[in-house]
Amino acid sequence: MHAVLARLDLDTQQPGTWLGAWSEDPDAPLITSINPATGEPIAEVRAATVEEYEALMARAVEVADAWRRVPAPRRGEAIRLVGEALRARREDLGALVSLEMGKILAEGVGEVQEAIDIADFAVGQARMLYGKTMHSERPEHRMYEQWHPLGVVGVLTAFNFPVAVWAWNACISAICGNVTVWKPSPKTPLCTVAMQRVCNAALEAGGFPPIFLSFHDAGTSLAKRFVADRRVALVSFTGSTAVGRRVAQVVAARLGRSLLELGGNNAVIVDDSADLELVVPAVLFGAVGTAGQRCTSTRRLLVHAAVADEVEARLAKAYRQVCVGDPLAPNTLMGPLIDEPAVVAFERAVAAARAEGGKVLSGGATLPGPGHFVQPTLVRAWHDWSLLREETFAPILYAVRWEDLDEAIAWQNAVPQGLSSAIFTADVRRAERFLASTGSDCGIANVNIGTSGAEIGGAFGGEKDTGGGREAGSDAWKQYMRRQTTTINWGQTLPLAQGIRFGS
Ligand code: UN1
């Protein structure tokens, strides 16, 4: 058994369905968790059966009915305990993320920190679920709005952030008074089991009910049932645009709510006044970090022709120094891709870039096994390649030259996705041009900061094929609640709105 599992008291065979107690039906298939750095199995997690799913949903509805009655600041106390528990296990959980997902340890621990941050945020938010008061047009009337829990919130997460994305949803959902049911990616089942164990133990010790439930699906049939389930008031889905589109349609057909965080195709614009001491590390982190498997990863570098040679040379040098290998080893900067299909997608994209006449300035190759390792890859590209419109979840950066900023912004926006974007410039006018309503069309637009690594305090998400959802900070909490407009007549007459007189 791997030492990381032992530190978290995990066995090599885990029951996967948590409905307030672990449930394990021996007839359900096992999901094998694979170490992407070696291709070897780490452990097996039991998927749920239909019966277990139904029992879990019945439990979710029952717990939600009790949880909505708990005052919101008290709900915040539950999340304070969850945040403390995550703090205490930060390094161990971070190591598990590295082991199972393949991101380097600093990023694995960083992801758990992101979960701790959103827990802290949620604790404060629990006392700030503010509604507005309005002035009624009628005398002796009071009008206001209040926010109530939705009930059961469903969260489907991707492999690339197996901890943080659930935490963004679950912590906010919890203080809003909901029970959260989690269906994770079958590629990272152990992270879910470990998170459930740590968070549930904290809730239980604090005398709180099981507000975080979870199940695993070996295929897609339970996930489909989940998305179509009318008991799930809000479906929060993170994953590909193709799957997100289907999720949105199924949820819309039953007039449920969906919150989508789908693909990104993020560009960094560099102008000729940019501080290259900022550009190089920001682009390196954005394009090579997490082996290019963030939805916020930098995929396109739009660089002013006057500085393009220098930027390319500095980046190519930095790329050559990237240590690719075991994500748990201290010097590694880039771990493996998640699996073999991801390597194939990388190879296809590099071959297509070569076929277009692109110049590979660094990398381009798959590394010999075991494990799913590729080289961080920098390609000189042209803005009109159709390849640039696609999101390949791999460390490939396309560098494109421009001479006119308006054109660079137009190229940046000329992709289906609209998640994150950035400009590097020392010119305030160009920065503002980029941020204006005619500038970046993305949900995130940064100046002298890369495209990835957003803080939890802002609303996170994007436009167009990214799905339009906003999670984490700011007022994202409102999506996890229903709004009620209330008018109270404290007088002794019944004036009608709009001055209508009806009858005598
Ligand atoms: C994702 O890739 O799905 O901004 C989330 C970032 C992280 C979250 C990424 N805070 O890169």
Side-chain angles (χ1 to χ4, degrees):
M1 185 164 81
H2 200 285
V4 171
L5 267 62
R7 293 211 297 272
L8 285 159
D9 296 323
L10 294 169
D11 298 325
T12 50
Q13 220 193 72
Q14 290 288 149
T17 308
W18 172 260
L19 37 80
W22 290 106
S23 164
E24 185 173 27
D25 186 327
D27 289 339
L30 285 163
I31 299 173
T32 305
S33 165
I34 306 279
N35 178 348
T38 62
E40 286 166 2
I42 307 168
E44 289 177 316
V45 175
R46 181 78 64 185
T49 57
V50 172
E51 291 72 30
E52 282 176 313
Y53 171 82
E54 287 302 327
L56 180 152
M57 285 305 298
R59 185 90 170 105
V61 169
E62 179 192 313
V63 177
D65 187 53
W67 188 239
R68 68 168 73 241
R69 295 160 205 264
V70 175
R74 177 90 188 124
R75 303 195 295 244
E77 169 63 7
I79 299 307
R80 191 185 68 77
L81 298 179
V82 165
E84 288 300 304
L86 292 174
R87 261 190 185 87
R89 307 312 297 266
R90 193 176 83 123
E91 270 65 31
D92 292 339
L93 287 167
L96 181 64
V97 171
S98 288
L99 179 70
E100 190 178 41
M101 184 274 158
K103 63 177 75 174
I104 62 168
L105 187 58
E107 292 189 74
V109 172
E111 179 172 352
V112 182
Q113 184 60 46
E114 199 165 334
I116 296 166
D117 292 344
I118 196 73
D120 287 356
F121 182 96
V123 175
Q125 188 69 62
R127 290 181 181 270
M128 296 185 290
L129 303 174
Y130 299 142
K132 291 179 171 153
T133 57
M134 300 86 180
H135 286 259
S136 170
E137 65 192 50
R138 288 171 276 189
E140 299 178 332
H141 279 56
R142 184 162 74 83
M143 195 172 167
Y144 72 104
E145 59 187 26
Q146 54 179 348
W147 295 85
H148 290 309
L150 289 177
V152 177
V153 169
V155 179
L156 297 99
T157 55
F159 77 88
N160 66 332
F161 273 82
V163 165
V165 171
W166 171 77
W168 295 348
N169 282 281
C171 292
I172 301 294
S173 171
I175 59 105
C176 289
N178 305 308
V179 164
T180 303
V181 178
W182 183 10
K183 205 295 291 177
S185 162
K187 294 173 189 173
T188 49
L190 270 181
C191 287
T192 297
V193 172
M195 282 294 281
Q196 285 282 198
R197 288 174 66 121
V198 169
C199 297
N200 295 337
L203 291 172
E204 238 175 282
F208 290 102
I211 52 170
F212 297 145
L213 307 179
S214 64
F215 69 97
H216 299 259
D217 188 5
T220 57
S221 68
L222 287 180
K224 283 183 181 145
R225 199 183 183 95
F226 187 40
V227 168
D229 196 324
R230 294 184 70 90
R231 291 169 290 190
V232 184
L234 169 70
V235 174
S236 175
F237 173 83
T238 303
S240 70
T241 296
V243 177
R245 209 183 290 281
R246 291 210 297 277
V247 168
Q249 285 165 359
V250 171
V251 177
R254 62 175 174 88
L255 300 181
R257 281 195 207 176
S258 54
L259 206 179
L260 305 173
E261 300 293 349
L262 312 177
N265 188 348
N266 318 296
V268 164
I269 297 179
V270 177
D271 84 353
D272 50 348
S273 71
D275 182 345
L276 300 190
E277 297 297 320
L278 304 184
V279 170
V280 173
V283 172
L284 188 70
F285 178 66
V288 174
T290 329
Q293 297 172 109
R294 291 189 188 219
C295 52
T296 52
S297 290
T298 309
R299 313 217 175 274
R300 297 174 295 142
L301 175 68
L302 306 177
V303 55
H304 191 287
V307 290
D309 284 343
E310 187 176 354
V311 170
E312 281 178 1
R314 286 208 206 183
L315 273 175
K317 186 171 169 220
Y319 268 54
R320 281 192 286 275
Q321 285 162 0
V322 170
C323 177
V324 180
D326 176 3
L328 286 162
N331 294 330
T332 305
L333 219 52
M334 196 182 98
L337 291 176
I338 188 67
D339 55 15
E340 194 49 34
V343 173
V344 171
F346 164 86
E347 288 170 347
R348 276 210 194 110
V350 173
R354 284 204 164 101
E356 291 272 15
K359 186 167 186 216
V360 177
L361 302 169
S362 183
T366 299
L367 300 173
H372 311 295
F373 292 99
V374 300
Q375 289 178 322
T377 299
L378 177 62
V379 182
R380 189 181 297 154
W382 277 263
H383 74 90
D384 54 357
W385 288 3
S386 62
L387 189 59
L388 264 59
R389 295 168 51 80
E390 288 162 29
E391 177 190 42
T392 303
F393 236 47
I396 306 173
L397 180 67
Y398 304 107
V400 173
R401 296 172 180 219
W402 57 269
E403 281 172 8
D404 175 67
L405 181 62
D406 288 341
E407 200 165 54
I409 292 172
W411 294 348
Q412 180 208 258
N413 292 343
V415 295
Q417 310 84 352
L419 179 55
S420 188
S421 61
I423 190 168
F424 282 77
T425 179
D427 183 330
V428 68
R429 287 187 177 146
R430 289 185 186 164
E432 293 292 343
R433 163 76 188 88
F434 175 75
L435 298 173
S437 61
T438 52
S440 167
D441 66 0
C442 294
I444 298 170
N446 294 333
V447 176
N448 295 330
I449 300 253
T451 59
S452 69
E455 302 175 20
I456 58 92
F460 181 91
E463 306 299 340
K464 304 192 290 185
D465 274 9
T466 303
R470 291 297 185 281
E471 288 175 349
S474 186
D475 62 354
W477 64 270
K478 289 181 176 172
Q479 294 163 107
Y480 302 83
M481 303 199 85
R482 64 185 169 88
R483 184 198 312 240
Q484 187 168 66
T485 303
T486 298
T487 310
I488 299 169
N489 175 4
W490 56 274
Q492 288 173 339
T493 58
L494 194 74
L496 297 177
Q498 296 90 43
I500 292 175
R501 287 182 181 280
F502 196 73
S504 56

